[in-house]
Amino acid sequence: LDALVDRLPLHYVQALHEGSVMSMADGYARASGRTAFMNIHSVAGTGYALGPMVNAFKDRTPVVITVGRQSTDLRGSNAFLEAVNLSELPSDYTRWTWDVLTADSIPEVLRRAFLLARVPPGGPTFLTFSKDLWEERVDAAEILPRSRSQPEIELEPNSDQVTRLVDMLVGADMPLIVAGRELNRFGGADDLLEIAQLLGAPLFMDTEASHTPVVVPTSHSMYAGLFAETPKFPETFDLYWSVGGTMFALGATPSEPLVPRTASIIHTGLDAAQLGRNYPVDLGLMANTGLTASAVLKDLRTRNLSTTAVTARRRVVERHHQERQQRLDAEARETWDARPIASARLATELNQRLDPDAIVVTELVTSAIFLKTYLDIGSGGARRQNFTSQGGVLGWGVAAAIGAKIARPDRQVVALVGDGSFQFGVQALWSAVRYEVPVGVIIWNNGGYQANRRFLHGYGGRAAETGKYVGTSLRGPDIDNIAIAAGYGVEGERVDDPNQLGAALDRCLRRVEGGQPYLLDIEIERRYGGADSDWYDFFSVARGEPRRS
């Protein structure tokens, strides 16, 4: 920190909470494609950062985390801020952990941490530094060129694998292609669309529970929605190709396998922990998704495809896409003037207004489906990017958006978060004001933890019988998100009238374009079982009233 006084090219981003720091570093790494570097304090900082660290680990985001700890001569004495086995604390959610043992080793340990954070599949590395080591003077240190610690991640499939993959695709009666999260980092979406078109194969995105970002254009005629979203489409398939997906991140064990045992399975990706983990594969390719898709497309163009079979499949897929889109558009029209505001309308109006190359950071649990339905990322060079996390640890979205904007100041950046998620990461707004980071924060406010109420209702027990869903409501008192944001120096407004939604979105994006962060708190409809319940658990300490029935 002392050295940074005179190192102005290095931008040090201060935050109020280690969770915000971790998420900002995560968002920066995703948007920049570079490894982020961060510093937190002792066991407290590690504990606060551990939740978002889970997100970075699950999403394989390269971040080097450094942590200060008490002096080595005080270890074992129960000294202030002594942390037993601190370097091992987050070991289950890091690629590598290490306690620096000598001051002389600091440069080499840091070099190794940067290297291992990027080695596929990537993820956070974690280093602890004892106070007394920073107080030593090192006369000389070898600083190696960054290029010598940058692993090659352009891993191509070999030609035999590509030939076999194309043989399997061409030989299938109904092949399915499922696009996963790795396309965000390594690309391949445009080539997959052309492959789907040539084969007449439906192109899905990964399952809802995987929380995969939007990685392919939802408006494309071969896009078929989320895999397993419509169980009856297609009625049968004999080949499943996961491109950078999870296979599968699920919320519950399905009654029968999502991919039938009779179907052939191809799984492509750089995450060794995913390939063949839950489903046996007929062809597992540990390779870059973009390079694989490009090689498959090149080979596929040389094949003599059955025009009759391709045309028939394409007709079925295009009809499904058209019918699905008509149904979704009809649902949006039917609820267009609903109050509270319909999520379908909010997603539609956002889609109409966001820049063609906007970065959209989403932390929406039950509302995420609307982004994968109505948000179009486009294709080609100037396309939108959607970042989300499958870690499931709330409080990531606002800070990640701030980190993304720091990394890409030339791009429009918005954070779409739930009202519950917002409360976990609200401290990040302070950093946005301090460093004049113009991001739009749009809260999808349904007044509670809707996912919890949804599952409570689904159990069909007393909660469903009585309409009393313990621990799910954020009403009583209602939270004034606008006042909270104002306390951090961020202007904003509450929107509950659908007729005012478009103008409010325009104001938000204009403020962002003008260089200011801005917050919209939008009241949206509640969905799923128990949505009409206004009950919340209550007792009064002041009046001595017991918990009410």
Side-chain angles (χ1 to χ4, degrees):
L1 295 179
D2 190 65
L4 284 173
V5 171
D6 300 311
R7 299 291 182 93
L8 297 182
L10 290 176
H11 289 176
Y12 185 86
V13 182
Q14 182 179 344
L16 302 183
H17 189 275
E18 287 84 354
S20 297
V21 174
M22 184 71 232
S23 297
M24 275 193 276
D26 186 335
Y28 178 90
R30 295 185 199 223
S32 67
R34 303 174 65 187
T35 302
F37 180 80
M38 56 178 283
N39 174 238
I40 54 180
H41 185 218
S42 192
V43 66
T46 302
Y48 294 138
L50 184 57
M53 204 182 302
V54 172
N55 289 340
F57 178 76
K58 288 280 191 177
D59 299 325
R60 307 306 192 187
T61 309
V63 181
V64 175
I65 305 162
T66 60
V67 187
R69 63 186 302 185
Q70 189 51 278
S71 294
T72 55
D73 60 343
L74 284 174
R75 292 192 189 178
S77 69
N78 198 29
F80 177 65
L81 290 179
E82 179 190 357
V84 178
N85 298 323
L86 180 59
S87 62
E88 297 301 314
L89 180 61
S91 58
D92 288 336
Y93 295 101
T94 53
R95 296 294 315 283
W96 182 60
T97 65
W98 191 253
D99 179 32
V100 176
L101 301 176
T102 66
D104 288 334
S105 70
I106 288 174
E108 173 60 20
V109 170
L110 280 169
R111 185 197 71 81
R112 190 174 298 129
F114 272 87
L115 174 77
L116 295 175
R118 288 195 69 83
V119 169
T125 55
F126 182 89
L127 308 177
T128 60
F129 296 85
S130 297
K131 176 177 177 287
D132 52 320
L133 298 186
W134 284 123
E135 294 168 350
E136 293 186 22
R137 178 168 294 279
V138 178
D139 294 328
E142 182 183 24
I143 307 299
L144 296 173
R146 183 187 180 97
S147 60
R148 297 189 67 185
S149 301
Q150 290 281 80
E152 177 61 59
I153 59 175
E154 301 296 308
L155 301 179
E156 299 188 51
N158 66 47
S159 57
D160 291 340
Q161 289 176 321
V162 172
T163 299
R164 185 180 169 200
L165 195 160
V166 176
D167 286 343
M168 294 172 71
L169 289 173
V170 173
D173 291 328
M174 176 55 84
L176 267 62
I177 304 173
V178 180
R181 60 179 182 173
E182 290 189 31
L183 270 72
N184 237 5
R185 183 175 177 188
F186 302 113
D190 289 344
D191 287 340
L192 280 185
L193 289 169
E194 190 169 345
I195 291 168
Q197 190 78 39
L198 287 172
L199 292 170
L203 178 61
F204 293 88
M205 278 190 284
D206 215 334
T207 57
E208 180 180 1
S210 72
H211 294 284
T212 295
V214 182
V215 291
V216 295
T218 57
S219 60
H220 195 278
S221 62
M222 303 308 288
Y223 177 62
L226 300 181
F227 179 67
E229 170 193 319
T230 308
K232 293 188 181 299
F233 181 80
E235 292 186 3
T236 59
F237 60 92
D238 58 345
L239 185 142
Y240 181 98
W241 181 22
S242 172
V243 189
T246 60
M247 288 198 72
F248 292 99
L250 299 173
T253 303
S255 57
E256 56 185 46
L258 297 183
V259 180
R261 297 302 187 204
T262 55
S264 298
I265 296 177
I266 306 170
H267 198 166
T268 301
L270 288 177
D271 192 343
Q274 295 294 338
L275 294 179
R277 177 173 185 158
N278 299 321
Y279 280 71
V281 297
D282 297 281
L283 179 59
L285 279 74
M286 190 176 295
N288 179 299
T289 57
L291 296 176
T292 301
S294 176
V296 168
L297 178 59
K298 183 179 179 180
D299 189 315
L300 189 60
R301 285 171 174 160
T302 68
R303 303 296 184 100
N304 292 319
L305 301 175
S306 170
T307 305
T308 303
V310 168
T311 301
R313 284 197 299 260
R314 190 181 296 150
R315 188 179 298 118
V316 170
V317 176
E318 290 177 344
R319 185 189 314 120
H320 170 77
H321 172 84
Q322 186 177 34
E323 291 174 352
R324 178 179 180 275
Q325 198 60 51
Q326 288 173 345
R327 174 174 54 81
L328 294 170
D329 291 344
E331 290 174 4
R333 286 194 301 272
E334 289 168 6
T335 60
W336 196 253
D337 295 318
R339 191 166 180 171
I341 294 167
S343 298
R345 176 168 183 172
L346 175 52
T348 300
E349 296 221 35
L350 267 170
N351 189 52
Q352 294 169 350
R353 288 171 168 80
L354 292 174
D355 284 353
D357 64 346
I359 295 175
V360 185
V361 179
T362 55
E363 189 174 28
L364 301 170
V365 182
T366 54
S367 297
I369 187 68
F370 291 97
L371 274 298
K372 293 164 186 175
T373 299
Y374 295 101
L375 177 68
D376 195 13
I377 67 165
S379 60
R383 65 191 306 160
R384 293 172 183 165
Q385 281 183 289
N386 175 216
F387 298 140
T388 188
S389 177
Q390 70 160 327
V393 178
L394 299 184
W396 171 85
V398 174
I402 293 169
K405 183 64 176 180
I406 293 172
R408 297 301 307 268
D410 57 316
R411 302 272 291 274
Q412 181 189 70
V413 178
V414 297
L416 311 180
V417 299
D419 50 324
S421 303
F422 178 70
Q423 296 303 323
F424 280 78
V426 65
Q427 305 94 337
L429 291 178
W430 182 88
S431 300
V433 174
R434 156 70 73 87
Y435 302 107
E436 298 184 356
V437 185
V439 296
V441 178
I442 301 174
I443 302 174
W444 298 46
N445 192 335
N446 55 29
Y449 297 118
Q450 182 162 260
N452 293 359
R453 191 198 72 239
R454 175 187 182 183
F455 285 115
L456 264 178
H457 187 87
Y459 288 132
R462 289 290 293 151
E465 292 173 5
T466 62
K468 297 176 180 179
Y469 302 93
V470 177
T472 66
S473 176
L474 292 179
R475 302 280 170 82
D478 288 354
I479 300 171
D480 190 341
N481 292 314
I482 304 306
I484 292 173
Y488 288 104
V490 176
E491 292 185 26
E493 58 186 291
R494 168 88 171 179
V495 183
D496 57 12
D497 184 344
N499 294 320
Q500 297 177 1
L501 175 61
L505 291 171
D506 289 337
R507 280 192 294 275
C508 175
L509 297 177
R510 279 200 303 271
R511 292 292 185 91
V512 169
E513 179 67 23
Q516 293 178 299
Y518 198 78
L519 182 138
L520 292 180
D521 185 10
I522 300 176
E523 183 181 359
I524 63 170
E525 92 279 27
R526 287 180 280 179
R527 298 162 37 245
Y528 305 112
D532 57 349
S533 173
D534 290 320
W535 182 90
Y536 58 89
D537 209 8
F538 176 79
F539 60 90
S540 173
V541 174
R543 296 195 298 269
E545 294 179 3
R547 184 168 173 250
R548 68 184 179 189
S549 60

